[in-house]
Amino acid sequence: MLLQHHYQRCSKRLSYLLRHSHDYISLDGGWAPVEHILTALRKTYPQLERADLEAIVAQDQKGRYSFDSSGSRIRANQGHSVPGVVIEMERPEPPELLYHGTASRFLDSIFQEGLRPMSRQYVHISSDPATARIVGARHGTPVVLLFRAGDFVRAGHPLMRSANGVWQAEAVPPEYLSVMEREGSHEALD
Ligand code: HQG
Protein backbone atom coordinates (compact mmCIF):
# COMPACT_ATOMS: atom_id res chain seq x y z
CA MET A 1 0.00 0.00 0.00
CA LEU A 2 1.01 3.61 -0.52
CA LEU A 3 1.18 6.12 2.29
CA GLN A 4 -1.76 8.51 2.20
CA HIS A 5 0.49 11.48 1.52
CA HIS A 6 1.54 9.95 -1.82
CA TYR A 7 -2.03 9.91 -3.04
CA GLN A 8 -2.14 13.47 -4.34
CA ARG A 9 0.95 13.11 -6.53
CA CYS A 10 -0.14 9.69 -7.67
CA SER A 11 -3.54 11.13 -8.60
CA LYS A 12 -1.85 13.79 -10.74
CA ARG A 13 0.05 11.10 -12.59
CA LEU A 14 -3.16 9.08 -12.94
CA SER A 15 -5.02 12.03 -14.41
CA TYR A 16 -2.19 12.62 -16.87
CA LEU A 17 -2.29 8.98 -18.02
CA LEU A 18 -6.08 8.95 -18.33
CA ARG A 19 -6.50 12.34 -20.03
CA HIS A 20 -3.43 13.08 -22.05
CA SER A 21 -1.55 9.86 -22.87
CA HIS A 22 -2.20 8.04 -26.14
CA ASP A 23 -0.73 4.84 -24.74
CA TYR A 24 -3.50 3.67 -22.45
CA ILE A 25 -6.91 5.07 -23.24
CA SER A 26 -9.39 3.75 -25.77
CA LEU A 27 -11.14 6.29 -27.98
CA ASP A 28 -14.44 4.59 -27.27
CA GLY A 29 -15.34 5.82 -23.80
CA GLY A 30 -11.83 6.77 -22.70
CA TRP A 31 -11.39 3.53 -20.78
CA ALA A 32 -7.98 2.15 -19.84
CA PRO A 33 -7.32 -1.35 -18.49
CA VAL A 34 -6.73 -1.10 -14.73
CA GLU A 35 -3.86 -3.59 -14.98
CA HIS A 36 -2.04 -1.39 -17.52
CA ILE A 37 -2.53 1.69 -15.36
CA LEU A 38 -1.27 -0.12 -12.26
CA THR A 39 1.82 -1.22 -14.18
CA ALA A 40 2.44 2.34 -15.40
CA LEU A 41 1.98 3.89 -11.94
CA ARG A 42 4.23 1.28 -10.32
CA LYS A 43 7.16 2.68 -12.30
CA THR A 44 6.96 5.61 -9.87
CA TYR A 45 5.16 3.90 -6.96
CA PRO A 46 6.39 0.27 -6.79
CA GLN A 47 4.35 -0.50 -3.70
CA LEU A 48 1.05 0.63 -5.28
CA GLU A 49 -1.83 -1.82 -4.96
CA ARG A 50 -5.23 -1.92 -6.55
CA ALA A 51 -6.70 -0.85 -3.21
CA ASP A 52 -4.70 2.38 -3.46
CA LEU A 53 -6.20 3.11 -6.84
CA GLU A 54 -9.66 2.44 -5.45
CA ALA A 55 -8.97 4.81 -2.56
CA ILE A 56 -7.70 7.53 -4.91
CA VAL A 57 -10.86 7.21 -7.03
CA ALA A 58 -13.17 7.16 -4.00
CA GLN A 59 -11.48 10.07 -2.23
CA ASP A 60 -11.17 12.35 -5.24
CA GLN A 61 -12.89 15.62 -4.32
CA LYS A 62 -13.96 16.38 -7.89
CA GLY A 63 -15.01 12.86 -8.85
CA ARG A 64 -12.42 12.88 -11.60
CA TYR A 65 -12.32 9.10 -12.19
CA SER A 66 -14.67 6.14 -12.64
CA PHE A 67 -14.27 2.38 -12.82
CA ASP A 68 -16.49 0.52 -15.25
CA SER A 69 -19.09 -1.87 -13.87
CA SER A 70 -16.71 -4.83 -14.02
CA GLY A 71 -13.94 -2.90 -12.26
CA SER A 72 -11.44 -3.93 -14.92
CA ARG A 73 -11.25 -0.53 -16.63
CA ILE A 74 -10.83 3.01 -15.37
CA ARG A 75 -11.26 6.43 -16.96
CA ALA A 76 -11.17 10.16 -16.32
CA ASN A 77 -14.66 11.62 -16.48
CA GLN A 78 -13.55 14.78 -18.29
CA GLY A 79 -10.55 16.94 -19.17
CA HIS A 80 -9.14 14.88 -22.04
CA SER A 81 -6.81 16.27 -24.66
CA VAL A 82 -6.31 13.09 -26.72
CA PRO A 83 -8.19 13.77 -30.00
CA GLY A 84 -11.07 11.47 -30.84
CA VAL A 85 -11.82 10.22 -27.33
CA VAL A 86 -15.58 10.04 -26.97
CA ILE A 87 -16.97 10.18 -23.44
CA GLU A 88 -20.73 9.94 -23.34
CA MET A 89 -22.24 12.88 -21.52
CA GLU A 90 -25.69 13.98 -20.48
CA ARG A 91 -27.37 17.02 -22.00
CA PRO A 92 -29.64 18.16 -19.19
CA GLU A 93 -31.32 21.55 -19.36
CA PRO A 94 -28.81 23.94 -17.81
CA PRO A 95 -29.54 26.68 -15.30
CA GLU A 96 -29.90 30.12 -16.91
CA LEU A 97 -26.47 31.17 -15.67
CA LEU A 98 -23.21 29.29 -15.37
CA TYR A 99 -19.65 30.50 -14.70
CA HIS A 100 -16.25 30.26 -16.31
CA GLY A 101 -13.11 30.96 -14.33
CA THR A 102 -10.20 32.41 -16.22
CA ALA A 103 -7.25 34.76 -15.75
CA SER A 104 -7.31 38.49 -16.46
CA ARG A 105 -4.57 38.23 -19.09
CA PHE A 106 -6.86 36.07 -21.29
CA LEU A 107 -9.79 38.51 -21.31
CA ASP A 108 -8.97 40.51 -24.45
CA SER A 109 -8.61 37.35 -26.46
CA ILE A 110 -11.73 35.74 -24.95
CA PHE A 111 -13.89 38.78 -25.75
CA GLN A 112 -12.54 38.79 -29.30
CA GLU A 113 -12.88 35.14 -30.22
CA GLY A 114 -14.95 33.61 -27.40
CA LEU A 115 -13.99 30.70 -25.20
CA ARG A 116 -12.07 27.98 -26.98
CA PRO A 117 -11.12 24.57 -25.56
CA MET A 118 -7.40 25.33 -25.98
CA SER A 119 -5.52 22.07 -25.31
CA ARG A 120 -8.59 20.14 -24.13
CA GLN A 121 -11.55 18.77 -26.04
CA TYR A 122 -14.09 21.12 -24.45
CA VAL A 123 -14.38 24.43 -22.66
CA HIS A 124 -14.99 23.69 -18.98
CA ILE A 125 -17.77 25.61 -17.30
CA SER A 126 -18.52 25.68 -13.58
CA SER A 127 -21.91 25.63 -11.90
CA ASP A 128 -20.96 28.11 -9.16
CA PRO A 129 -18.75 31.21 -8.96
CA ALA A 130 -16.60 29.85 -6.10
CA THR A 131 -15.47 26.89 -8.20
CA ALA A 132 -14.88 29.15 -11.21
CA ARG A 133 -12.70 31.43 -9.08
CA ILE A 134 -10.49 28.49 -8.06
CA VAL A 135 -10.24 27.27 -11.66
CA GLY A 136 -9.26 30.76 -12.84
CA ALA A 137 -6.66 31.23 -10.11
CA ARG A 138 -4.71 28.29 -11.55
CA HIS A 139 -3.76 30.58 -14.45
CA GLY A 140 -3.14 33.95 -12.78
CA THR A 141 -5.30 36.76 -11.40
CA PRO A 142 -8.73 35.11 -11.41
CA VAL A 143 -11.72 36.51 -13.26
CA VAL A 144 -15.17 34.97 -13.10
CA LEU A 145 -17.18 35.22 -16.31
CA LEU A 146 -20.93 34.94 -16.30
CA PHE A 147 -22.15 32.63 -19.06
CA ARG A 148 -25.74 32.93 -20.34
CA ALA A 149 -26.19 29.18 -20.63
CA GLY A 150 -29.96 29.25 -21.12
CA ASP A 151 -29.73 31.61 -24.13
CA PHE A 152 -26.78 29.59 -25.48
CA VAL A 153 -28.76 26.34 -25.49
CA ARG A 154 -31.96 27.97 -26.81
CA ALA A 155 -29.87 29.24 -29.74
CA GLY A 156 -29.07 25.61 -30.56
CA HIS A 157 -25.54 25.28 -29.16
CA PRO A 158 -24.79 21.92 -27.53
CA LEU A 159 -23.94 22.02 -23.83
CA MET A 160 -23.05 18.78 -22.05
CA ARG A 161 -22.45 17.79 -18.45
CA SER A 162 -19.78 15.26 -17.49
CA ALA A 163 -20.42 12.43 -15.02
CA ASN A 164 -18.74 14.54 -12.33
CA GLY A 165 -20.89 17.60 -12.99
CA VAL A 166 -18.59 19.82 -15.08
CA TRP A 167 -20.43 21.58 -17.93
CA GLN A 168 -18.71 21.37 -21.30
CA ALA A 169 -19.09 23.21 -24.60
CA GLU A 170 -17.17 23.03 -27.84
CA ALA A 171 -16.86 26.82 -27.88
CA VAL A 172 -18.67 29.83 -26.41
CA PRO A 173 -19.07 32.98 -28.54
CA PRO A 174 -18.33 36.22 -26.67
CA GLU A 175 -21.91 37.48 -26.81
CA TYR A 176 -22.87 34.94 -24.13
CA LEU A 177 -20.17 36.14 -21.72
CA SER A 178 -19.73 39.05 -19.35
CA VAL A 179 -17.30 39.81 -16.56
CA MET A 180 -18.94 39.13 -13.22
CA GLU A 181 -16.04 39.53 -10.88
CA ARG A 182 -12.39 40.43 -11.24
CA GLU A 183 -9.52 41.17 -8.89
CA GLY A 184 -11.72 41.25 -5.84
CA SER A 185 -14.21 43.78 -7.22
CA HIS A 186 -17.76 42.74 -7.99
CA GLU A 187 -18.86 44.45 -11.18
CA ALA A 188 -22.32 44.86 -12.57
CA LEU A 189 -23.62 41.68 -14.09
CA ASP A 190 -23.47 42.94 -17.65
C1 HQG B 1 -8.57 30.11 -21.41
C2 HQG B 1 -9.38 21.62 -13.71
C3 HQG B 1 -7.39 33.01 -24.48
C4 HQG B 1 -9.53 29.55 -20.41
C5 HQG B 1 -10.40 22.68 -13.41
C6 HQG B 1 -8.56 28.88 -19.44
C7 HQG B 1 -11.30 22.66 -14.63
C8 HQG B 1 -8.68 31.37 -23.54
C9 HQG B 1 -7.42 28.42 -20.33
C10 HQG B 1 -10.46 22.01 -15.70
C11 HQG B 1 -9.56 31.41 -24.64
C12 HQG B 1 -7.44 26.92 -20.61
C13 HQG B 1 -10.26 22.90 -16.88
C14 HQG B 1 -9.27 32.32 -25.67
C15 HQG B 1 -10.29 29.94 -23.27
N1 HQG B 1 -8.18 33.10 -25.56
N2 HQG B 1 -7.61 32.15 -23.46
N3 HQG B 1 -10.05 32.42 -26.77
N4 HQG B 1 -10.54 30.51 -24.45
N5 HQG B 1 -9.18 30.45 -22.71
O1 HQG B 1 -6.62 24.36 -17.91
O2 HQG B 1 -11.04 25.76 -17.75
O3 HQG B 1 -8.28 19.67 -11.56
O4 HQG B 1 -7.35 23.91 -20.32
O5 HQG B 1 -10.31 30.57 -19.81
O6 HQG B 1 -11.10 22.44 -12.23
O7 HQG B 1 -8.80 26.41 -16.69
O8 HQG B 1 -7.78 19.11 -13.93
O9 HQG B 1 -8.97 24.90 -18.75
O10 HQG B 1 -8.09 29.83 -18.52
O11 HQG B 1 -12.49 21.98 -14.46
O12 HQG B 1 -9.74 18.05 -12.79
O13 HQG B 1 -7.60 29.10 -21.57
O14 HQG B 1 -9.22 21.68 -15.10
O15 HQG B 1 -9.84 20.38 -13.35
O16 HQG B 1 -6.99 26.26 -19.45
O17 HQG B 1 -9.64 24.11 -16.46
P1 HQG B 1 -7.41 24.77 -19.10
P2 HQG B 1 -9.64 25.40 -17.39
P3 HQG B 1 -8.85 19.23 -12.89
Side-chain angles (χ1 to χ4, degrees), residues 166-185:
V166 181
W167 293 89
Q168 322 245 335
E170 280 159 16
V172 177
E175 58 264 33
Y176 296 99
L177 302 168
S178 52
V179 174
M180 176 187 170
E181 177 190 308
R182 72 186 289 187
E183 289 162 39
S185 70

Side-chain angles (χ1 to χ4, degrees), residues 19 62 64 100 102 109 113-114 116 120 124 138-139:
R19 290 171 169 175
K62 291 184 176 176
R64 290 182 178 91
H100 178 83
T102 190
S109 167
E113 58 182 35
R116 295 195 292 115
R120 303 185 195 250
H124 286 211
R138 290 158 55 251
H139 300 286

